[in-house]
Amino acid sequence: MSRTTTSLEVSTDALGAIEWRTIAIVSNVACITLVNSMLAGILVVCLPTMARDLELSSALLLWPASVNSLACGCTLLICGSITDVVGGRKMFLVGAFFLTLTTIACGVCKTGIELILFRAVQGLALSLCLPSSVLIITRNIPVGSWRNTAFACLGAGQPVGYSIGLVLGGIFVQSIGWRFGYYIGAILTFVIFLISIFGIPADPVSETQSLSTILKRLKSEIDWIGCLLLSTSLGMFSYVLSVLAGGSSRFLEPAPITLFSIAVALIPAFVFYVRRQERLGHKVIIPPSLWTNRVFTSLCITVFIVWGVFNAIEYFLTLFYQSVQSLSAIQTSIRFLPMVITGAATNFLTGWLVKRVRADILVLVSASITAVSPLLMAIVKPEWSYWTCAFIATACTPICADVLFTVANLLITSVFPPQTHGLAGGVFNTISNIGNSVGLAITAVVASSVTLNEKGPHVETLMDGYRVTFWLCFAANVLVLGVVAFGLRKIGQVGIKID
């Protein structure tokens, strides 16, 4: 009896240690995403005030927001590949440290150009953290309920952090000033960095490697040419899309047209290269044969569209409240509170449901609910009460993106080999970042085109442009339903522990 009792106590202690380690890991990786998304939300609400204080021209008004995604999106694949060699913990710590420095820099900057440059470097630092977060989770948390919860919490960081930032941004603008948002963000990031030193376990393989071994692995195990071709093309596309979001006429300038032409030319070069690499049995960043997997391809298309729509709806909801209804920054912020609640609740509920309900059903139901958001905003009238349409639309906006984050990460990491889960995290975040850029660029061009081609009161023409944009987002959500119904049907539950 005593032996059985002792064994049971040891098992209980071991289980408790695993749970505390999991909580420490999830808290750190989720909080770093939450804080960065919070800063993005603060930026959106505070941007008019920041532009006045830093003398940022209207031609560069969108760049503080877009340059961060641009820098992050085009370096994620390279950083993810390096993470698989160097180790998740090291990359995460380096990223968190530089995020702290760049966040401080954004808070003390004196000009608009400085803010844009620091936001770009901040995006590079974030690209170190995102893939390493996925690798840390998959290498330290076994498949099952805990990993499902970990990805759900990681997913909650983005929409919840962004929504909190929208709320705090309005408070800071009308009280202590927007710079304190960055100071607070820097303090939180540094605290996460310190806790991560002790809370994130060392990777057994990478921590024991010598420098020469790491350099050899970096040379032999990473498809540098493929990374460079794809990252360069994506970076140029992202830049052109950012320019396009500021006005379709700017696309006709020499620089955007040149970069767009180069980006298009790099695509067939990349396809030819990776096919040759796979045929010869060499290392390839994303094997072309992977795209023949209907589930993987459909999932990537879904992530791309959903994140583009999600970003666009958030952006135009902000414009609707401020530019059409003439609400103050703090009143706008308060109206985003339902998004915080539904975003957090959806992620935690998804972590529990994901191994009990078929993944395609989860995504279909959540996409149907989210489709209500642009539909309501397409028919809303500015004089209507907030509770009539805007409240429901705001609350429904993040649901599909939150469900998809957990489902997509679980599926993508199951498709990629365990030794390349850093790259898998890079693939997911690259697709979502590019989706953000494309969604914002297309909707911004559509809205401005409709507004410029109409005559009448400024507010009415603005609303007509926004209304067409919301109809476009609704159509994109309907397209998602079709892709999910065809491509993800009968994939079953994900995140189930296989003995």
Side-chain angles (χ1 to χ4, degrees):
M1 175 68 76
S2 61
R3 288 182 180 178
T4 304
T5 304
T6 303
S7 176
L8 189 61
E9 289 175 353
V10 172
S11 299
T12 303
D13 292 341
L15 181 61
I18 293 173
E19 290 179 351
W20 278 110
R21 185 185 67 181
T22 301
I23 292 171
I25 291 171
V26 173
S27 299
N28 281 284
V29 299
C31 285
I32 203 76
T33 306
L34 185 145
V35 173
N36 186 76
S37 298
M38 180 189 77
L39 294 174
I42 290 174
L43 177 68
V44 169
V45 175
C46 298
L47 193 55
T49 304
M50 296 169 70
R52 289 196 303 269
D53 293 347
L54 302 176
E55 298 180 352
L56 184 67
S57 67
S58 58
L60 299 174
L61 193 60
L62 289 176
W63 275 97
S66 60
V67 74
N68 184 273
S69 296
L70 170 62
C72 180
C74 63
T75 54
L76 278 166
L77 294 176
I78 294 176
C79 291
S81 299
I82 295 174
T83 297
D84 288 321
V85 175
V86 175
R89 180 176 181 273
K90 288 180 180 178
M91 291 290 281
F92 185 85
L93 290 176
V94 171
F97 179 75
F98 279 105
L99 272 176
T100 303
L101 296 182
T102 53
T103 303
I104 294 173
C106 289
V108 301
C109 65
K110 301 298 182 183
T111 66
I113 298 299
E114 288 181 0
L115 176 64
I116 292 172
L117 291 175
F118 292 141
R119 285 283 293 169
V121 181
Q122 195 175 46
L124 293 174
L126 182 63
S127 69
L128 300 176
C129 294
L130 295 180
S132 57
S133 297
V134 174
L135 183 62
I136 289 169
I137 289 174
T138 58
R139 286 196 176 172
N140 292 283
I141 303 175
V143 176
S145 298
W146 277 109
R147 183 179 291 190
N148 301 343
T149 303
F151 278 126
C153 293
L154 186 61
Q158 293 186 11
V160 173
Y162 189 84
S163 303
I164 291 173
L166 292 173
V167 175
L168 292 179
I171 296 173
F172 290 148
V173 164
Q174 297 189 341
S175 56
I176 57 179
W178 61 267
R179 294 183 186 273
F180 282 88
Y182 285 97
Y183 300 151
I184 293 171
I187 293 171
L188 293 175
T189 306
F190 187 66
V191 170
I192 295 168
F193 167 74
L194 293 178
I195 296 175
S196 298
I197 295 176
F198 305 100
I200 297 178
D203 187 90
V205 177
S206 62
E207 294 291 336
T208 56
Q209 293 180 114
S210 64
L211 179 60
S212 60
T213 303
I214 292 176
L215 293 176
K216 287 180 181 178
R217 290 188 62 198
L218 287 173
K219 181 180 178 180
S220 61
E221 296 184 16
I222 296 178
D223 179 14
W224 289 103
I225 297 177
C227 283
L228 184 61
L229 287 172
L230 187 56
S231 296
T232 303
S233 178
L234 292 176
M236 290 180 176
F237 271 125
S238 298
Y239 172 80
V240 172
L241 289 169
S242 298
V243 172
L244 194 61
S248 56
S249 61
R250 295 176 185 172
F251 177 74
L252 301 177
E253 296 176 0
I257 289 180
T258 302
L259 291 176
F260 180 76
S261 301
I262 296 173
V264 170
L266 287 175
I267 294 176
F270 172 76
V271 172
F272 172 80
Y273 171 78
V274 294
R275 283 183 175 176
R276 179 178 180 274
Q277 288 291 97
E278 187 175 42
R279 187 175 66 252
L280 297 176
H282 296 165
K283 192 73 176 179
V284 58
I285 181 171
I286 303 178
S289 57
L290 199 58
W291 296 104
T292 61
N293 184 319
R294 188 189 69 215
V295 171
F296 177 76
T297 303
S298 301
L299 188 66
C300 290
I301 294 172
T302 304
V303 169
F304 178 84
I305 297 174
V306 167
W307 252 257
V309 171
F310 172 63
N311 191 42
I313 293 177
E314 280 190 324
Y315 178 72
F316 282 97
L317 274 173
T318 305
L319 293 179
F320 171 77
Y321 291 136
Q322 292 189 345
S323 301
V324 175
Q325 293 192 325
S326 300
L327 299 176
S328 66
I330 192 165
Q331 288 175 321
T332 299
S333 300
I334 292 172
R335 280 160 174 76
F336 277 97
L337 283 173
M339 192 179 290
V340 180
I341 298 171
T342 56
T346 300
N347 275 282
F348 294 124
L349 183 61
T350 303
W352 181 76
L353 285 175
V354 74
K355 70 174 186 178
R356 295 172 172 84
V357 181
R358 278 172 35 193
D360 59 325
I361 299 298
L362 284 175
V363 179
L364 273 173
V365 172
S366 62
S368 301
I369 296 172
T370 296
V372 172
S373 175
L375 178 61
L376 290 176
M377 294 307 298
I379 63 175
V380 72
K381 292 184 178 180
E383 62 271 17
W384 286 1
S385 165
Y386 168 71
W387 305 103
T388 304
C389 284
F391 165 73
I392 301 173
T394 305
C396 292
T397 295
I399 291 176
C400 184
D402 291 338
V403 170
L404 191 59
F405 186 96
T406 302
V407 171
N409 270 295
L410 289 170
L411 280 173
I412 288 178
T413 51
S414 68
V415 171
F416 281 75
Q419 65 271 22
T420 61
H421 278 177
L423 175 60
V427 168
F428 171 83
N429 285 286
T430 298
I431 295 170
S432 59
N433 269 274
I434 299 301
N436 280 340
S437 300
V438 173
L440 182 58
I442 293 176
T443 52
V445 169
V446 169
S448 61
S449 298
V450 172
T451 300
L452 291 173
N453 289 329
E454 290 191 0
K455 295 181 180 180
H458 179 63
V459 173
E460 290 184 11
T461 57
L462 273 180
M463 188 60 208
D464 288 340
Y466 298 165
R467 204 182 300 280
V468 173
T469 299
F470 286 124
W471 278 118
L472 181 61
C473 290
F474 174 71
N477 272 319
V478 173
L479 178 60
V480 166
L481 293 175
V483 173
V484 173
F486 170 76
L488 301 184
R489 66 180 187 275
K490 298 181 180 179
I491 60 173
Q493 291 96 341
V494 295
I496 300 177
K497 185 175 181 180
I498 301 174
D499 297 322

